[in-house]
Amino acid sequence: MRLRSTAVHINTVALTGATGYIASHVAVALAAQGHRLVGIDNLSNSSQIVVDRVAELIDGPMPFVKLDVRDTVGLTEVLAEHEVDAVIHLAGLKAVGESVTDSLRYHDNNVGGTISLLRAMQSASVPALVFSSSATVYRPDQPSPLTESSRIGPGNPYGRTKSIAEQIIDDVAASSSLRAVHLRYFNPVGAHESGRIGEDPIGPPNNLMPFTMQVAAGQREMLQIFGDDYNTPDGTCIRDYIHVSDLADGHVAALGAFGSIETSEAINLGTGRGSSVLDVLRSAEKAADRPIPHQIVGRRDGDSAVSFADPSHALERLGWQATRSLDDACQDHWRWQHQNPTGYRTSP
Ligand code: NAD
Ligand code: UD1
């Protein structure tokens, strides 16, 4: 691959999926570094209230357009009108179980949305793309720490949408002036330290941290721990939980790397530390200062015993590494949960 020499100056950034969990934190991190923003979201899994909360944290408005990224014409207009220099593409559906029962919807939204975005970026001459990918693109049997050259082979349709989108972006970058970074997130957890933005799942959460916090808050009766007979020190699965604010900082760092990016490149965003389900439980109990009712049940289909990142490529290429601990993430997640018991729905 050849290195391109033109420097990319990034002033204005479009965030797709802007009102979602991760993008709201990315917006705050970008604004803190002086970037101008435009947020785009169809609000299919988020609330417009997030726009006001972000504005509160960045001390100024975040321009926002309600739009589906599959509306290529509308998207092109937004990118051109705001003179966007780079897009961070976080819009997507992410529920693994739903992706199995309704795979076409996932491919349409996640793959179709990415194709539409690439067309719009071409039409509006936007040269740089950061794509929200996932550690779920790696084959479940790959040993940890996972590096960017671990074998790809997602075990579910959601993961395949991410892997396919990466490949489409690679093809476009190889044949045009587009430069792209795929950020492969491990397990994002936590919330902004202010307690004003955080994860607001609709319905029962599928993921460990929000479920645990809802049990701690008394909104759910019992945390079910899916298996304690794995080949790990305490028998429960090990994951790489990364504070969402560290993840957000990783996006800012990725924008700074475009000057030296070859056509496209994948970069893990994780801490490099593995924590078990019981570690998370203990840390959440400490943060909430109460015992959290739990029981061990059978394994969940599709879970692998151990998954954590080798984050050294991110340090080398982006000068980025995670700085917050699991305890920090639990404290911040608990503050968000405690201050917003029903998420964005009724909180002022
Ligand atoms: P989220 O659901 O909170 O945010 C995604 C946002 O995208 C939502 O606000 C939703 O309304 C919007 N959206 C979905 N389809 C859209 C479309 N067609 N047009 C416009 N907006 C659309 O999820 P999140 O956790 O913030 O995840 C953000 C991105 O990161 C997703 O692409 C997800 O796949 C990826 N990711 C998330 C995790 C995780 O554990 N949260 C892990 C790896 C990767
Ligand atoms: C899951 C998805 C992954 C996706 C990620 C973020 C699967 C197999 N993987 O990752 O593709 O990118 O979410 O959305 O679904 N756990 C419990 N009890 C619970 C919930 C979870 O014990 O109520 C355990 C799980 O078995 C797992 C760990 O906690 O060992 C973390 O689970 P979760 O938060 O769902 O993340 P992943 O499974 O790593």
Side-chain angles (χ1 to χ4, degrees):
M1 278 196 282
R2 93 200 122 89
L3 260 176
R4 298 194 174 144
S5 52
T6 338
V8 181
H9 178 70
I10 294 170
N11 182 20
T12 304
V13 180
L15 279 180
T16 73
T19 41
Y21 169 44
I22 297 169
S24 55
H25 293 80
V26 174
V28 173
L30 287 173
Q33 294 304 312
H35 289 289
R36 289 174 53 208
L37 303 174
V38 54
I40 298 160
D41 201 296
N42 66 359
L43 302 177
S44 61
N45 196 40
S46 53
S47 159
Q48 184 143 1
I49 295 170
V50 175
V51 177
D52 300 330
R53 295 283 184 98
V54 168
E56 216 182 88
L57 294 173
I58 67 177
D59 225 4
M62 172 172 77
F64 176 74
V65 185
K66 183 180 174 200
L67 186 82
D68 193 298
V69 291
R70 289 165 293 182
D71 173 355
T72 314
V73 173
L75 195 52
T76 307
E77 279 169 18
V78 175
L79 299 180
E81 187 191 325
H82 289 264
E83 297 178 4
V84 166
D85 302 305
V87 176
I88 305 185
H89 180 39
L90 299 110
L93 300 173
K94 61 167 183 176
V96 173
E98 225 175 64
S99 81
V100 175
T101 52
D102 201 353
S103 58
L104 202 49
R105 182 165 156 250
Y106 271 67
H107 284 288
D108 186 351
N109 197 80
N110 293 4
V111 179
T114 302
I115 293 172
S116 169
L117 172 67
L118 288 165
R119 286 196 197 286
M121 289 177 70
Q122 275 188 343
S123 301
S125 303
V126 181
L129 172 63
V130 177
F131 175 60
S132 278
S133 190
S134 170
T136 203
V137 300
Y138 296 118
R139 256 174 70 148
D141 64 357
Q142 291 296 285
S144 288
L146 292 156
T147 72
E148 289 77 1
S149 48
S150 295
R151 288 187 67 184
I152 300 296
N156 57 64
Y158 163 70
R160 279 189 281 282
T161 67
K162 291 289 168 188
S163 177
I164 292 166
E166 279 194 8
Q167 291 171 57
I168 293 169
I169 293 166
D170 290 344
D171 286 344
V172 174
S175 60
S176 72
S177 56
L178 180 76
R179 292 174 205 190
V181 179
H182 311 307
L183 295 180
R184 294 181 179 155
Y185 313 157
F186 281 69
N187 289 58
V189 289
H192 190 265
E193 61 182 2
S194 64
R196 297 298 285 161
I197 54 173
E199 186 171 12
D200 182 18
I202 296 168
N206 299 311
N207 297 117
L208 178 63
M209 181 69 84
F211 201 101
T212 304
M213 291 298 174
Q214 290 189 3
V215 177
Q219 294 174 357
R220 301 194 183 275
E221 215 173 299
M222 179 85 70
L223 170 68
Q224 298 197 319
I225 294 178
F226 300 140
D228 69 349
D229 55 352
Y230 286 94
N231 186 19
T232 61
D234 67 20
T236 66
C237 293
I238 288 178
R239 296 287 181 273
D240 187 337
Y241 297 96
I242 174 169
H243 194 298
V244 65
S245 296
D246 276 333
L247 194 67
D249 292 342
H251 291 72
V252 177
L255 291 181
F258 273 110
S260 67
I261 289 280
E262 300 181 19
T263 50
S264 60
E265 190 167 329
I267 301 180
N268 285 341
L269 291 186
T271 67
R273 285 186 308 273
S275 305
S276 72
V277 177
L278 291 176
D279 290 335
V280 173
L281 177 69
R282 273 186 230 107
S283 179
E285 287 184 328
K286 200 160 45 164
D289 194 22
R290 66 195 65 178
I292 297 176
H294 59 276
Q295 61 181 358
I296 309 291
V297 299
R299 293 181 176 195
R300 183 175 70 177
D301 272 357
D303 276 340
S304 54
V306 180
S307 165
F308 62 91
D310 175 344
S312 54
H313 192 55
L315 182 58
E316 187 188 314
R317 295 292 288 120
L318 310 180
W320 170 93
Q321 62 187 336
T323 59
R324 296 161 178 92
S325 66
L326 178 60
D327 282 349
D328 295 333
C330 285
Q331 279 163 22
D332 290 339
H333 208 123
W334 175 246
R335 188 177 304 108
W336 153 255
Q337 171 72 44
H338 191 61
Q339 292 179 9
N340 307 268
T342 51
Y344 292 111
R345 279 170 287 279
T346 52
S347 318

